[in-house]
Amino acid sequence: RLSLSIVALALSIPASLAKLTSSKRANFLRTLQESGDCEICSQDNKNRPDFITIQYEPDGANSRFQDSSKATCREGAYPTTTSLEITNKDGVRQSFPNMSAGDTMTIVGPFDAETTFKYETGECYIHTSCSVPLVSNDQIGAFKVLAGTGCGIGQTDGNGTGTTTTQDSSCEICSQDNKNRPDSLTLQYKPVGVNSQYQDISKATCVEGDYPESTTISTENKNGIRQTFDVTDGDNFTITGPFNAETTFDYGTGDCFIHTSCSVPLMVGDQIGAFQVMGGNDCQGPDNVVSPVDGTPEGMCEICSKDNKDKPEFLVIQYVPMGVDSQYQDEDYATCRGGTYPATTTIVMTNKEGTTQTFPNVRANDIFTIQGPFNAETTFSYDGGDCFIHTSCSAPLVTNDQIGPFKMLAGNECNADPEDPENVETVPPVEEPPTTGGNCEICSEDNKNKPNSITFQYSPVGLNSQYQEYNYATCREGTYPTSTKIVVESKNGDKQTFEGVSAGEFFTITGPFNAATTFSYDGGNCFIHTSCSVPLVTGDHIGPFIVHAGNECSDGPVETLPPMIEQTEEAPCEICSKNNGEQPASLTLVYRSDGKESMYQNEKEASCGAGTYPESTTIVFTNAEGVMTAIDVQDGQPFTIVGPFKDMTTFQLSGETTKCSIELSCDAPLVAGDQLGPFLITEGNDCKYETSSPTQAPSPSPSAAPSISASPSPA
């Protein structure tokens, strides 16, 4: 028990330690230790805390160490229940709803000299710059300091001995200076969540708050493998990598993430929301862990994966109209997702050799076999739509995993029925032979002889290319107009128009070509790759366009439709590109409400594309230095943006729900006269493109990047 002499000495401690002699300071610290208190920081100990844990006490009291000139939080009555809010030095707002007597909260720095607490009937501040002491167990107004960096949560037991609720966090799993990313992490579930000591809310949305007493935790690693655990208070569980930068946990009533790429520390003992870190890498975790829920039906067998690149020659699939999300392929790898699909449908797919396989009248639980070789993504067309699954083994293919409406049954050495592999009744396919042709390579990565012209045959029944995957060619399998006008624009801006192109007719487009050449047709547009990074081969069917001739390759003489050519008034001027990497200090653009596709940047490089944009709007963008600029523009009005630019610069139009971006790193060409969505580039570096637009540009309104506002309540 505390002696009266210790209590008397504690109450007589002056408000400032500045005048204490070293002897008195030693006695002071000894007294704190004996009474279960701990000095977080002071004038003589400028170890400013990264966090402070505080207990709310509505019956306010005056601090023993901070007088009214340092703390306006004083004795008196505070609300019995209230919401509390503080904002740290970085501008991060932290809110704590429904705080009552005895409730604790952890605020995260860095801190200003004075930290202001806002409550429902007022506000007050305490001193947090350490010119006066911050000491555990000191009550400053309604706020009793419990812990801070270096000091655990002091609680006095019947013998007057201080105890701590913090776990030893001396073992660093990884950090910015220790990029040894863990293969696994062991965590302990705690329904009373607290804020991390190391990961602020920009890095971890798993924060302080109440989580379910018992719940099912589900998370997915970088390979798309989902892991599920049934947990209750105090249960340990181990998740396996490789991990994304952010690992998200679904916990029944919501979800939140923690940072697992090691740019901020992962420390044993740190509690991040409901998840206390227990082990990883060389930091030994506990042995008593709960086993994951086996979400895979009996008979699971890995057909192939990233570590098992034995690509299958065939896949046996069962059709299930009630689609579900794959356990192994996330939406980046498979667009076949959960939902309702047709009860009866015709399923069509085309393999890498161009062989189209059609399965008519497929019903619920029918089984069919598709034959390879397979593209990285295999697209299935069904009545009313299409979707793809990943078949190049970068993400796992596992038997009994259902990917949308397609349940994997067999492939490679994995059989639908291992004891009787022949016992599978399948829907027979109606096969269509691959497109005939000379298979002559016009150009490729190893043959960079770019063609001056390319001749195509038009086919309203589009197929997927054997050589150009989706990121190289958006002209894909599907139905196209029976007869249509086709418009193509060359790299120098010459527009080539072919009127009334019908099935089987030929037309020739002339270069020079952009990396991606866009074809506009009645009702849409799509592009194919024409810079030779991937092959251009005669006979290849790329959407509705069958490659017929180019360079020395030709599948025979044909009669082609004559084009109408609209020539540009001047040759384009390249501001910068991959071979000319001088990023401009500024760019002058003209805003045009009639948006167009870029002639030089494909959809991955510029999401600003064709479409109708507002006649007048406010454009907001932020440069690489964090300077935000807002510019009011009208149709046809020029404006100037100032760098340095982010590699991918995003533009927000006021009142619009979508944003669009442009590649400004020079990895993709920036060309004067090119229009990317609503932005016509007119000037940059030594290039200038003359237009009839007004010459007076609006004045932009730059501002510093806005401060982050977020709440530590769990998602």
Side-chain angles (χ1 to χ4, degrees):
R1 298 182 181 278
L2 296 175
S3 68
L4 293 176
S5 61
I6 293 175
V7 173
L9 179 58
L11 294 175
S12 66
I13 294 174
S16 172
L17 295 178
K19 298 179 181 179
L20 287 176
T21 64
S22 60
S23 175
K24 286 183 178 180
R25 174 163 175 78
N27 290 335
F28 167 75
L29 294 176
R30 189 180 306 112
T31 302
L32 292 182
Q33 185 176 14
E34 291 173 352
S35 63
D37 295 343
C38 177
E39 181 189 80
I40 297 168
C41 71
S42 68
Q43 179 72 26
D44 299 309
N45 168 23
K46 284 285 192 180
N47 183 23
R48 297 190 179 183
D50 297 318
F51 71 96
I52 306 170
T53 300
I54 292 170
Q55 183 172 297
Y56 181 66
E57 297 290 351
D59 187 9
N62 289 334
S63 168
R64 292 178 285 157
F65 307 100
Q66 300 193 12
D67 62 23
S68 59
S69 67
K70 297 295 184 179
T72 58
C73 298
R74 313 301 294 168
E75 66 179 353
Y78 290 76
T80 304
T81 302
T82 184
S83 293
L84 295 172
E85 180 181 297
I86 74 110
T87 301
N88 71 11
K89 195 172 185 177
D90 285 342
V92 177
R93 189 171 71 244
Q94 301 166 52
S95 301
F96 305 88
N98 302 318
M99 295 292 291
S100 301
D103 286 348
T104 61
M105 60 183 174
T106 298
I107 59 176
V108 180
F111 299 110
D112 292 304
E114 297 165 349
T115 294
T116 298
F117 291 81
K118 296 181 180 180
Y119 48 91
E120 290 180 359
T121 58
E123 62 181 56
C124 65
Y125 63 80
I126 69 173
H127 204 78
T128 45
S129 74
C130 304
S131 57
V132 290
L134 265 176
V135 177
S136 68
N137 285 323
D138 185 34
Q139 186 171 335
I140 314 173
F143 308 106
K144 184 176 181 179
V145 179
L146 296 184
T149 304
C151 291
I153 301 177
Q155 295 179 331
T156 305
D157 65 15
N159 296 319
T161 304
T163 60
T164 179
T165 61
T166 58
Q167 181 178 337
D168 176 22
S169 58
S170 59
C171 190
E172 179 185 270
I173 297 170
C174 71
S175 67
Q176 180 71 28
D177 300 319
N178 168 23
K179 284 283 192 180
N180 182 21
R181 296 188 179 183
D183 296 323
S184 64
L185 284 173
T186 300
L187 307 170
Q188 185 176 99
Y189 181 69
K190 291 179 173 289
V192 180
V194 300
N195 291 334
S196 167
Q197 300 177 42
Y198 304 96
Q199 301 194 10
D200 63 26
I201 56 178
S202 68
K203 298 293 185 180
T205 58
C206 297
V207 292
E208 182 180 50
D210 293 329
Y211 294 75
E213 286 295 324
S214 60
T215 188
T216 297
I217 301 289
S218 182
T219 185
E220 192 171 280
N221 69 14
K222 197 171 185 178
N223 284 344
I225 296 177
R226 183 163 293 277
Q227 303 161 66
T228 303
F229 306 86
D230 290 331
V231 296
T232 189
D233 188 6
D235 281 347
N236 301 312
F237 62 98
T238 299
I239 59 174
T240 56
F243 299 111
N244 293 300
E246 297 166 350
T247 294
T248 298
F249 296 89
D250 295 318
Y251 51 85
T253 58
D255 62 71
C256 64
F257 64 78
I258 69 173
H259 203 78
T260 45
S261 74
C262 303
S263 56
V264 290
L266 274 170
M267 300 285 290
V268 169
D270 186 32
Q271 186 173 338
I272 314 172
F275 308 105
Q276 185 169 20
V277 182
M278 304 298 288
N281 280 342
D282 295 327
C283 302
Q284 187 67 39
D287 294 328
N288 58 325
V289 295
V290 298
S291 299
V293 176
D294 187 3
T296 306
E298 187 176 347
M300 180 196 78
C301 177
E302 181 183 272
I303 299 169
C304 72
S305 68
K306 198 169 187 178
D307 299 319
N308 167 24
K309 284 284 192 179
D310 184 16
K311 296 186 179 182
E313 297 178 359
F314 70 95
L315 288 171
V316 179
I317 296 171
Q318 184 175 44
Y319 181 67
V320 183
M322 186 56 67
V324 299
D325 291 346
S326 167
Q327 299 177 49
Y328 302 94
Q329 300 195 9
D330 63 22
E331 57 189 7
D332 291 333
Y333 286 99
T335 58
C336 300
R337 312 301 293 168
T340 303
Y341 292 78
T344 302
T345 185
T346 296
I347 295 173
V348 181
M349 63 78 60
T350 301
N351 69 13
K352 196 171 185 177
E353 292 179 345
T355 301
T356 298
Q357 300 162 55
T358 302
F359 304 89
N361 301 317
V362 180
R363 296 177 172 82
N365 300 319
D366 280 352
I367 296 170
F368 59 96
T369 300
I370 59 175
Q371 301 291 337
F374 300 111
N375 293 301
E377 296 164 352
T378 294
T379 298
F380 295 87
S381 296
Y382 51 86
D383 296 346
D386 61 67
C387 65
F388 64 78
I389 68 173
H390 203 78
T391 45
S392 75
C393 304
S394 299
L397 276 171
V398 178
T399 60
N400 282 318
D401 183 36
Q402 187 174 331
I403 314 174
F406 305 112
K407 185 176 182 180
M408 300 297 111
L409 294 185
N412 283 342
E413 303 302 318
C414 299
N415 294 308
D417 186 348
E419 295 183 0
D420 187 5
E422 301 300 324
N423 186 23
V424 177
E425 184 177 348
T426 62
V427 175
V430 177
E431 292 196 5
E432 298 177 13
T435 304
T436 58
N439 292 322
C440 178
E441 181 183 274
I442 298 170
C443 70
S444 67
E445 180 69 31
D446 301 320
N447 169 25
K448 284 285 192 179
N449 182 22
K450 296 186 179 181
N452 296 320
S453 65
I454 308 171
T455 300
F456 295 94
Q457 184 180 26
Y458 181 69
S459 170
V461 179
L463 297 177
N464 292 334
S465 168
Q466 299 176 49
Y467 305 95
Q468 301 195 10
E469 296 181 2
Y470 183 80
N471 56 327
Y472 286 102
T474 59
C475 299
R476 310 300 291 171
E477 179 181 60
T479 303
Y480 292 79
T482 304
S483 179
T484 183
K485 178 171 76 173
I486 294 174
V487 180
V488 177
E489 200 164 299
S490 66
K491 192 171 186 177
N492 61 15
D494 289 348
K495 190 176 290 185
Q496 304 165 58
T497 303
F498 303 88
E499 296 283 355
V501 182
S502 299
E505 292 188 318
F506 295 86
F507 62 96
T508 299
I509 61 174
T510 56
F513 299 112
N514 294 303
T517 294
T518 299
F519 295 77
S520 298
Y521 51 86
D522 295 346
N525 63 72
C526 64
F527 65 80
I528 69 172
H529 203 78
T530 46
S531 75
C532 304
S533 300
V534 290
L536 267 175
V537 178
T538 60
D540 189 28
H541 202 146
I542 314 175
F545 307 112
I546 303 172
V547 182
H548 182 77
N551 284 340
E552 303 303 317
C553 296
S554 175
D555 282 351
V558 292
E559 183 178 345
T560 60
L561 297 172
M564 292 192 306
I565 299 178
E566 301 175 28
Q567 294 184 334
T568 55
E569 296 179 357
E570 56 181 325
C573 178
E574 184 183 88
I575 297 169
C576 73
S577 68
K578 204 164 190 177
N579 299 320
N580 168 27
E582 185 183 353
Q583 191 184 62
S586 64
L587 282 175
T588 300
L589 311 172
V590 173
Y591 177 77
R592 289 184 171 176
S593 60
D594 182 17
K596 294 183 178 179
E597 299 289 340
S598 168
M599 295 186 289
Y600 303 92
Q601 297 195 16
N602 62 34
E603 290 180 344
K604 291 182 67 177
E605 295 159 339
S607 64
C608 298
T612 302
Y613 293 79
E615 290 289 323
S616 62
T617 188
T618 299
I619 296 169
V620 179
F621 94 104
T622 303
N623 70 11
E625 293 180 344
V627 177
M628 178 181 288
T629 304
I631 308 171
D632 295 325
V633 295
Q634 295 182 346
D635 189 22
Q637 191 167 4
F639 62 98
T640 299
I641 58 175
V642 178
F645 300 110
K646 298 178 181 178
D647 289 355
M648 188 66 72
T649 296
T650 299
F651 296 83
Q652 173 75 56
L653 277 62
S654 65
E656 297 294 297
T657 57
T658 57
K659 305 173 183 178
C660 70
S661 56
I662 297 174
E663 176 70 56
L664 297 183
S665 69
C666 300
D667 283 345
L670 279 174
V671 178
D674 188 28
Q675 185 172 338
L676 305 93
F679 305 115
L680 173 66
I681 302 175
T682 60
E683 194 168 347
N685 286 341
D686 297 326
C687 294
K688 192 167 184 179
Y689 179 81
E690 298 295 337
T691 71
S692 58
S693 302
T695 57
Q696 184 62 42
S699 300
S701 304
S703 64
S707 60
I708 301 170
S709 176
S711 167
S713 300

PDB file of all heavy atoms in Angstrom, residues 285-309:
ATOM      1  N   GLY A 285       5.775 -16.395 -32.522  1.00  0.00           N
ATOM      2  CA  GLY A 285       4.406 -16.236 -32.067  1.00  0.00           C
ATOM      3  C   GLY A 285       3.955 -17.421 -31.237  1.00  0.00           C
ATOM      4  O   GLY A 285       4.669 -18.425 -31.113  1.00  0.00           O
ATOM      5  N   PRO A 286       2.769 -17.360 -30.657  1.00  0.00           N
ATOM      6  CA  PRO A 286       2.253 -18.457 -29.835  1.00  0.00           C
ATOM      7  C   PRO A 286       1.910 -19.678 -30.686  1.00  0.00           C
ATOM      8  O   PRO A 286       1.648 -19.571 -31.883  1.00  0.00           O
ATOM      9  CB  PRO A 286       1.005 -17.861 -29.195  1.00  0.00           C
ATOM     10  CG  PRO A 286       0.557 -16.802 -30.158  1.00  0.00           C
ATOM     11  CD  PRO A 286       1.811 -16.237 -30.748  1.00  0.00           C
ATOM     12  N   ASP A 287       1.924 -20.853 -30.029  1.00  0.00           N
ATOM     13  CA  ASP A 287       1.588 -22.101 -30.722  1.00  0.00           C
ATOM     14  C   ASP A 287       0.084 -22.358 -30.760  1.00  0.00           C
ATOM     15  O   ASP A 287      -0.410 -23.076 -31.628  1.00  0.00           O
ATOM     16  CB  ASP A 287       2.284 -23.287 -30.042  1.00  0.00           C
ATOM     17  CG  ASP A 287       3.804 -23.203 -30.178  1.00  0.00           C
ATOM     18  OD1 ASP A 287       4.260 -22.681 -31.207  1.00  0.00           O
ATOM     19  OD2 ASP A 287       4.501 -23.643 -29.250  1.00  0.00           O
ATOM     20  N   ASN A 288      -0.638 -21.772 -29.782  1.00  0.00           N
ATOM     21  CA  ASN A 288      -2.083 -22.062 -29.686  1.00  0.00           C
ATOM     22  C   ASN A 288      -2.855 -21.148 -30.618  1.00  0.00           C
ATOM     23  O   ASN A 288      -3.298 -20.066 -30.256  1.00  0.00           O
ATOM     24  CB  ASN A 288      -2.561 -21.894 -28.234  1.00  0.00           C
ATOM     25  CG  ASN A 288      -2.290 -20.501 -27.694  1.00  0.00           C
ATOM     26  OD1 ASN A 288      -1.286 -19.889 -28.034  1.00  0.00           O
ATOM     27  ND2 ASN A 288      -3.187 -20.001 -26.855  1.00  0.00           N
ATOM     28  N   VAL A 289      -2.972 -21.561 -31.879  1.00  0.00           N
ATOM     29  CA  VAL A 289      -3.707 -20.791 -32.880  1.00  0.00           C
ATOM     30  C   VAL A 289      -4.904 -21.598 -33.356  1.00  0.00           C
ATOM     31  O   VAL A 289      -4.861 -22.830 -33.394  1.00  0.00           O
ATOM     32  CB  VAL A 289      -2.807 -20.419 -34.087  1.00  0.00           C
ATOM     33  CG1 VAL A 289      -1.695 -19.487 -33.656  1.00  0.00           C
ATOM     34  CG2 VAL A 289      -2.251 -21.654 -34.758  1.00  0.00           C
ATOM     35  N   VAL A 290      -5.983 -20.868 -33.717  1.00  0.00           N
ATOM     36  CA  VAL A 290      -7.160 -21.550 -34.244  1.00  0.00           C
ATOM     37  C   VAL A 290      -6.896 -21.940 -35.689  1.00  0.00           C
ATOM     38  O   VAL A 290      -6.188 -21.244 -36.423  1.00  0.00           O
ATOM     39  CB  VAL A 290      -8.428 -20.667 -34.144  1.00  0.00           C
ATOM     40  CG1 VAL A 290      -8.742 -20.334 -32.697  1.00  0.00           C
ATOM     41  CG2 VAL A 290      -8.279 -19.394 -34.968  1.00  0.00           C
ATOM     42  N   SER A 291      -7.470 -23.044 -36.098  1.00  0.00           N
ATOM     43  CA  SER A 291      -7.297 -23.519 -37.467  1.00  0.00           C
ATOM     44  C   SER A 291      -8.222 -22.736 -38.391  1.00  0.00           C
ATOM     45  O   SER A 291      -9.318 -22.331 -38.001  1.00  0.00           O
ATOM     46  CB  SER A 291      -7.631 -25.007 -37.566  1.00  0.00           C
ATOM     47  OG  SER A 291      -6.765 -25.759 -36.743  1.00  0.00           O
ATOM     48  N   PRO A 292      -7.777 -22.505 -39.636  1.00  0.00           N
ATOM     49  CA  PRO A 292      -8.658 -21.820 -40.578  1.00  0.00           C
ATOM     50  C   PRO A 292      -9.880 -22.664 -40.918  1.00  0.00           C
ATOM     51  O   PRO A 292      -9.832 -23.895 -40.892  1.00  0.00           O
ATOM     52  CB  PRO A 292      -7.777 -21.601 -41.806  1.00  0.00           C
ATOM     53  CG  PRO A 292      -6.715 -22.640 -41.703  1.00  0.00           C
ATOM     54  CD  PRO A 292      -6.490 -22.862 -40.233  1.00  0.00           C
ATOM     55  N   VAL A 293     -10.973 -21.969 -41.238  1.00  0.00           N
ATOM     56  CA  VAL A 293     -12.164 -22.660 -41.719  1.00  0.00           C
ATOM     57  C   VAL A 293     -11.861 -23.210 -43.100  1.00  0.00           C
ATOM     58  O   VAL A 293     -11.359 -22.491 -43.965  1.00  0.00           O
ATOM     59  CB  VAL A 293     -13.367 -21.695 -41.775  1.00  0.00           C
ATOM     60  CG1 VAL A 293     -14.583 -22.385 -42.370  1.00  0.00           C
ATOM     61  CG2 VAL A 293     -13.676 -21.160 -40.392  1.00  0.00           C
ATOM     62  N   ASP A 294     -12.116 -24.468 -43.308  1.00  0.00           N
ATOM     63  CA  ASP A 294     -11.860 -25.081 -44.612  1.00  0.00           C
ATOM     64  C   ASP A 294     -13.005 -24.739 -45.537  1.00  0.00           C
ATOM     65  O   ASP A 294     -14.040 -25.376 -45.537  1.00  0.00           O
ATOM     66  CB  ASP A 294     -11.714 -26.599 -44.476  1.00  0.00           C
ATOM     67  CG  ASP A 294     -11.278 -27.245 -45.795  1.00  0.00           C
ATOM     68  OD1 ASP A 294     -11.049 -26.491 -46.758  1.00  0.00           O
ATOM     69  OD2 ASP A 294     -11.168 -28.472 -45.842  1.00  0.00           O
ATOM     70  N   GLY A 295     -12.814 -23.668 -46.338  1.00  0.00           N
ATOM     71  CA  GLY A 295     -13.879 -23.248 -47.234  1.00  0.00           C
ATOM     72  C   GLY A 295     -13.868 -23.988 -48.555  1.00  0.00           C
ATOM     73  O   GLY A 295     -14.657 -23.705 -49.433  1.00  0.00           O
ATOM     74  N   THR A 296     -12.930 -24.919 -48.738  1.00  0.00           N
ATOM     75  CA  THR A 296     -12.842 -25.656 -49.983  1.00  0.00           C
ATOM     76  C   THR A 296     -13.482 -27.021 -49.827  1.00  0.00           C
ATOM     77  O   THR A 296     -13.164 -27.743 -48.891  1.00  0.00           O
ATOM     78  CB  THR A 296     -11.372 -25.839 -50.387  1.00  0.00           C
ATOM     79  OG1 THR A 296     -10.743 -24.558 -50.410  1.00  0.00           O
ATOM     80  CG2 THR A 296     -11.260 -26.492 -51.735  1.00  0.00           C
ATOM     81  N   PRO A 297     -14.397 -27.416 -50.704  1.00  0.00           N
ATOM     82  CA  PRO A 297     -15.051 -28.719 -50.570  1.00  0.00           C
ATOM     83  C   PRO A 297     -14.046 -29.857 -50.642  1.00  0.00           C
ATOM     84  O   PRO A 297     -12.938 -29.709 -51.148  1.00  0.00           O
ATOM     85  CB  PRO A 297     -16.014 -28.758 -51.768  1.00  0.00           C
ATOM     86  CG  PRO A 297     -16.159 -27.339 -52.198  1.00  0.00           C
ATOM     87  CD  PRO A 297     -14.894 -26.651 -51.845  1.00  0.00           C
ATOM     88  N   GLU A 298     -14.458 -31.007 -50.123  1.00  0.00           N
ATOM     89  CA  GLU A 298     -13.608 -32.196 -50.167  1.00  0.00           C
ATOM     90  C   GLU A 298     -13.282 -32.533 -51.612  1.00  0.00           C
ATOM     91  O   GLU A 298     -14.122 -32.426 -52.503  1.00  0.00           O
ATOM     92  CB  GLU A 298     -14.332 -33.365 -49.500  1.00  0.00           C
ATOM     93  CG  GLU A 298     -13.474 -34.590 -49.340  1.00  0.00           C
ATOM     94  CD  GLU A 298     -14.202 -35.678 -48.580  1.00  0.00           C
ATOM     95  OE1 GLU A 298     -15.258 -35.377 -47.988  1.00  0.00           O
ATOM     96  OE2 GLU A 298     -13.731 -36.816 -48.595  1.00  0.00           O
ATOM     97  N   GLY A 299     -12.045 -32.923 -51.861  1.00  0.00           N
ATOM     98  CA  GLY A 299     -11.634 -33.228 -53.224  1.00  0.00           C
ATOM     99  C   GLY A 299     -10.862 -32.106 -53.874  1.00  0.00           C
ATOM    100  O   GLY A 299     -10.627 -32.121 -55.071  1.00  0.00           O
ATOM    101  N   MET A 300     -10.447 -31.083 -53.080  1.00  0.00           N
ATOM    102  CA  MET A 300      -9.666 -29.982 -53.616  1.00  0.00           C
ATOM    103  C   MET A 300      -8.351 -30.488 -54.184  1.00  0.00           C
ATOM    104  O   MET A 300      -7.675 -31.322 -53.587  1.00  0.00           O
ATOM    105  CB  MET A 300      -9.374 -28.967 -52.518  1.00  0.00           C
ATOM    106  CG  MET A 300      -8.558 -27.777 -52.994  1.00  0.00           C
ATOM    107  SD  MET A 300      -7.849 -26.843 -51.616  1.00  0.00           S
ATOM    108  CE  MET A 300      -6.468 -27.910 -51.204  1.00  0.00           C
ATOM    109  N   CYS A 301      -7.991 -29.976 -55.352  1.00  0.00           N
ATOM    110  CA  CYS A 301      -6.718 -30.337 -55.968  1.00  0.00           C
ATOM    111  C   CYS A 301      -6.249 -29.137 -56.779  1.00  0.00           C
ATOM    112  O   CYS A 301      -7.016 -28.568 -57.563  1.00  0.00           O
ATOM    113  CB  CYS A 301      -6.889 -31.570 -56.860  1.00  0.00           C
ATOM    114  SG  CYS A 301      -5.388 -32.062 -57.744  1.00  0.00           S
ATOM    115  N   GLU A 302      -4.983 -28.728 -56.585  1.00  0.00           N
ATOM    116  CA  GLU A 302      -4.449 -27.579 -57.315  1.00  0.00           C
ATOM    117  C   GLU A 302      -4.054 -28.000 -58.722  1.00  0.00           C
ATOM    118  O   GLU A 302      -3.134 -28.788 -58.920  1.00  0.00           O
ATOM    119  CB  GLU A 302      -3.250 -27.004 -56.573  1.00  0.00           C
ATOM    120  CG  GLU A 302      -2.654 -25.775 -57.254  1.00  0.00           C
ATOM    121  CD  GLU A 302      -1.423 -25.262 -56.540  1.00  0.00           C
ATOM    122  OE1 GLU A 302      -1.576 -24.441 -55.625  1.00  0.00           O
ATOM    123  OE2 GLU A 302      -0.310 -25.711 -56.892  1.00  0.00           O
ATOM    124  N   ILE A 303      -4.769 -27.489 -59.704  1.00  0.00           N
ATOM    125  CA  ILE A 303      -4.450 -27.784 -61.103  1.00  0.00           C
ATOM    126  C   ILE A 303      -3.146 -27.097 -61.481  1.00  0.00           C
ATOM    127  O   ILE A 303      -2.245 -27.699 -62.060  1.00  0.00           O
ATOM    128  CB  ILE A 303      -5.605 -27.325 -62.021  1.00  0.00           C
ATOM    129  CG1 ILE A 303      -6.902 -28.086 -61.667  1.00  0.00           C
ATOM    130  CG2 ILE A 303      -5.248 -27.508 -63.485  1.00  0.00           C
ATOM    131  CD1 ILE A 303      -8.145 -27.528 -62.319  1.00  0.00           C
ATOM    132  N   CYS A 304      -3.041 -25.793 -61.144  1.00  0.00           N
ATOM    133  CA  CYS A 304      -1.801 -25.051 -61.360  1.00  0.00           C
ATOM    134  C   CYS A 304      -1.866 -23.770 -60.555  1.00  0.00           C
ATOM    135  O   CYS A 304      -2.936 -23.364 -60.078  1.00  0.00           O
ATOM    136  CB  CYS A 304      -1.547 -24.767 -62.843  1.00  0.00           C
ATOM    137  SG  CYS A 304      -2.662 -23.515 -63.550  1.00  0.00           S
ATOM    138  N   SER A 305      -0.701 -23.133 -60.376  1.00  0.00           N
ATOM    139  CA  SER A 305      -0.626 -21.885 -59.617  1.00  0.00           C
ATOM    140  C   SER A 305       0.668 -21.188 -59.992  1.00  0.00           C
ATOM    141  O   SER A 305       1.413 -21.645 -60.873  1.00  0.00           O
ATOM    142  CB  SER A 305      -0.657 -22.160 -58.116  1.00  0.00           C
ATOM    143  OG  SER A 305       0.526 -22.827 -57.716  1.00  0.00           O
ATOM    144  N   LYS A 306       0.949 -20.098 -59.286  1.00  0.00           N
ATOM    145  CA  LYS A 306       2.171 -19.333 -59.551  1.00  0.00           C
ATOM    146  C   LYS A 306       3.410 -20.177 -59.312  1.00  0.00           C
ATOM    147  O   LYS A 306       4.435 -20.017 -59.976  1.00  0.00           O
ATOM    148  CB  LYS A 306       2.188 -18.085 -58.661  1.00  0.00           C
ATOM    149  CG  LYS A 306       3.149 -17.003 -59.110  1.00  0.00           C
ATOM    150  CD  LYS A 306       2.907 -15.717 -58.339  1.00  0.00           C
ATOM    151  CE  LYS A 306       3.751 -14.590 -58.916  1.00  0.00           C
ATOM    152  NZ  LYS A 306       3.491 -13.307 -58.211  1.00  0.00           N
ATOM    153  N   ASP A 307       3.325 -21.068 -58.321  1.00  0.00           N
ATOM    154  CA  ASP A 307       4.462 -21.928 -57.996  1.00  0.00           C
ATOM    155  C   ASP A 307       4.398 -23.270 -58.721  1.00  0.00           C
ATOM    156  O   ASP A 307       5.283 -24.114 -58.542  1.00  0.00           O
ATOM    157  CB  ASP A 307       4.517 -22.161 -56.485  1.00  0.00           C
ATOM    158  CG  ASP A 307       4.705 -20.854 -55.731  1.00  0.00           C
ATOM    159  OD1 ASP A 307       5.503 -20.022 -56.186  1.00  0.00           O
ATOM    160  OD2 ASP A 307       4.035 -20.670 -54.698  1.00  0.00           O
ATOM    161  N   ASN A 308       3.351 -23.468 -59.488  1.00  0.00           N
ATOM    162  CA  ASN A 308       3.153 -24.740 -60.193  1.00  0.00           C
ATOM    163  C   ASN A 308       2.644 -24.410 -61.588  1.00  0.00           C
ATOM    164  O   ASN A 308       1.452 -24.441 -61.856  1.00  0.00           O
ATOM    165  CB  ASN A 308       2.144 -25.608 -59.426  1.00  0.00           C
ATOM    166  CG  ASN A 308       1.654 -26.796 -60.237  1.00  0.00           C
ATOM    167  OD1 ASN A 308       2.326 -27.253 -61.165  1.00  0.00           O
ATOM    168  ND2 ASN A 308       0.459 -27.276 -59.913  1.00  0.00           N
ATOM    169  N   LYS A 309       3.605 -24.020 -62.459  1.00  0.00           N
ATOM    170  CA  LYS A 309       3.251 -23.475 -63.770  1.00  0.00           C
ATOM    171  C   LYS A 309       3.003 -24.564 -64.818  1.00  0.00           C
ATOM    172  O   LYS A 309       3.323 -24.392 -65.990  1.00  0.00           O
ATOM    173  CB  LYS A 309       4.362 -22.550 -64.247  1.00  0.00           C
ATOM    174  CG  LYS A 309       4.368 -21.183 -63.556  1.00  0.00           C
ATOM    175  CD  LYS A 309       3.273 -20.283 -64.102  1.00  0.00           C
ATOM    176  CE  LYS A 309       3.462 -18.855 -63.651  1.00  0.00           C
ATOM    177  NZ  LYS A 309       2.425 -17.949 -64.175  1.00  0.00           N
TER     178      LYS A 309
END
